[in-house]
Amino acid sequence: METFSDFKKLTNPRKDFLWVHGKKTDIGGGMFDVSEIDQIDEYVNIDRIMLSGLTQAAFEYFIQKYGPRLKYVKFFKNKFIEDLSPLAALGNVVYLDFFFNQRVTKLWNMEKNKSLIGLALNDFSRLHSLEGVETAPSLKYLDFGNMVWNKSVLLDLEPLLKTNLVGFSFGGKSIEKNDIMLFSKIKSLRHFSCASNLYSTEDLARLVAARPDLEGRALRPYIEFDQRGPDYKDILICGKRKPFLSSTKDHDRIAKYAVDFERLVEEYRAEFAGNNNIH
């Protein structure tokens, strides 16, 4: 996991991960009891595992017995886990991925997770703060949001200011206290991903002006999709309430949006330069 792109590939489906689950698995993950965990003993050399349906007791047993030998762990549909603090014992884990939980309300102290580089948290209905990520000494990549249910909401992004993140992606429903310029203050940050309509066009242009080194799909005038026909809409203009257009039918409108975006970037860049000269 050398790059942000490598990290994003890991957050996709369970390729290369051994999937271990209880006999009573179902669409919600089922229930994986402590008595069934030891089936992991059959797989001696694995370092990538995905688990579904863990109870809190099975979660803690798994970490105690198998955690030290694993580097990549996905917790897929574990709705009975409510306390993540046992994860502090995973000193060798490099990547942790959680999908779907309705009980967890806070993260854990990550000071002892010295090898943790990537963390993904998706479809947590009751987790509204990222407090805790600032304690992870080696964390470089963080993903928070929704994959299925559009319910994940954050109160703010303040904990990120105390990190050395290289990449952050937000795919949640909303952020209550949402100042895009926070990302300009994280000097280590190089990649920021979000929905094209999470911020206004003006906000996106302001961030681009302040941090031209940042990469991100929404940090541009528009996003281009594969063209499938003359009437197919393949150009998504970036910014709140901006349209989806056709490159063949709406060429002039698209060009105008692009010019307006670059004009905004230059205006904000000049404003920032003027403020720096004052000080």
Side-chain angles (χ1 to χ4, degrees), residues 45-275:
N45 297 317
I46 63 162
D47 67 354
R48 300 189 179 206
I49 190 169
M50 184 174 82
L51 300 108
S52 299
L54 292 174
T55 61
Q56 182 69 32
F59 173 63
E60 294 177 13
Y61 178 78
F62 162 74
I63 290 173
Q64 180 183 12
K65 184 170 182 179
Y66 300 103
R69 84 186 204 194
L70 297 170
K71 293 184 177 180
Y72 298 82
V73 185
K74 285 179 180 279
F75 294 98
F76 179 76
K77 294 186 178 181
N78 293 274
K79 58 187 177 183
F80 300 107
I81 295 175
E82 58 187 39
D83 178 11
L84 297 179
S85 62
L87 293 168
L90 300 181
N92 297 319
V93 73
V94 173
Y95 173 78
L96 287 173
D97 185 321
F98 294 85
F99 167 69
F100 183 57
N101 181 279
Q102 297 174 309
R103 300 191 183 190
V104 169
T105 60
K106 63 180 180 178
L107 298 179
W108 71 101
N109 187 320
M110 304 180 192
E111 289 179 355
K112 295 181 180 180
N113 301 122
K114 297 185 183 299
S115 300
L116 182 63
I117 295 175
L119 175 62
L121 304 161
N122 283 283
D123 292 282
F124 277 64
S125 60
R126 298 182 63 194
L127 179 65
H128 304 305
S129 172
L130 294 176
E131 185 175 357
V133 297
E134 73 281 3
T135 63
S138 305
L139 190 65
K140 295 171 64 177
Y141 309 120
L142 176 62
D143 176 76
F144 179 90
N146 302 304
M147 285 188 174
V148 179
W149 299 275
N150 189 26
K151 294 182 179 181
S152 295
V153 174
L154 287 178
L155 299 177
D156 60 54
L157 297 170
E158 298 299 316
L160 302 186
L161 290 172
K162 299 177 182 179
T163 69
N164 293 308
L165 286 178
V166 175
F168 174 68
S169 56
F170 178 80
K173 181 179 180 180
S174 64
I175 305 166
E176 290 190 14
K177 184 182 177 182
N178 193 13
D179 179 6
I180 196 172
M181 294 308 289
L182 175 143
F183 298 107
S184 70
K185 301 173 183 177
I186 306 172
K187 301 305 180 184
S188 57
L189 198 67
R190 293 294 177 269
H191 305 272
F192 168 52
S193 299
C194 67
S196 65
N197 61 352
L198 183 64
Y199 297 96
S200 68
T201 300
E202 290 75 14
D203 280 343
L204 295 171
R206 186 181 294 111
L207 180 58
V208 171
R211 288 290 305 274
D213 58 318
L214 273 184
E215 297 180 6
R217 201 178 186 200
L219 301 180
R220 61 188 71 182
Y222 56 81
I223 298 169
E224 187 171 1
F225 297 87
D226 291 337
Q227 176 64 279
R228 299 179 184 174
D231 296 324
Y232 182 76
K233 293 181 178 181
D234 58 335
I235 301 294
L236 180 59
I237 307 300
C238 293
K240 286 184 178 179
R241 295 178 290 278
K242 289 301 190 289
F244 210 176
L245 302 174
S246 165
S247 59
T248 54
K249 296 177 63 177
D250 304 305
H251 181 271
D252 291 344
R253 287 183 66 190
I254 295 166
K256 185 179 184 304
Y257 277 117
V259 170
D260 288 345
F261 184 85
E262 296 303 333
R263 175 184 54 78
L264 283 170
V265 171
E266 291 304 317
E267 288 178 0
Y268 288 127
R269 192 168 289 158
E271 178 184 320
F272 297 146
N275 291 338

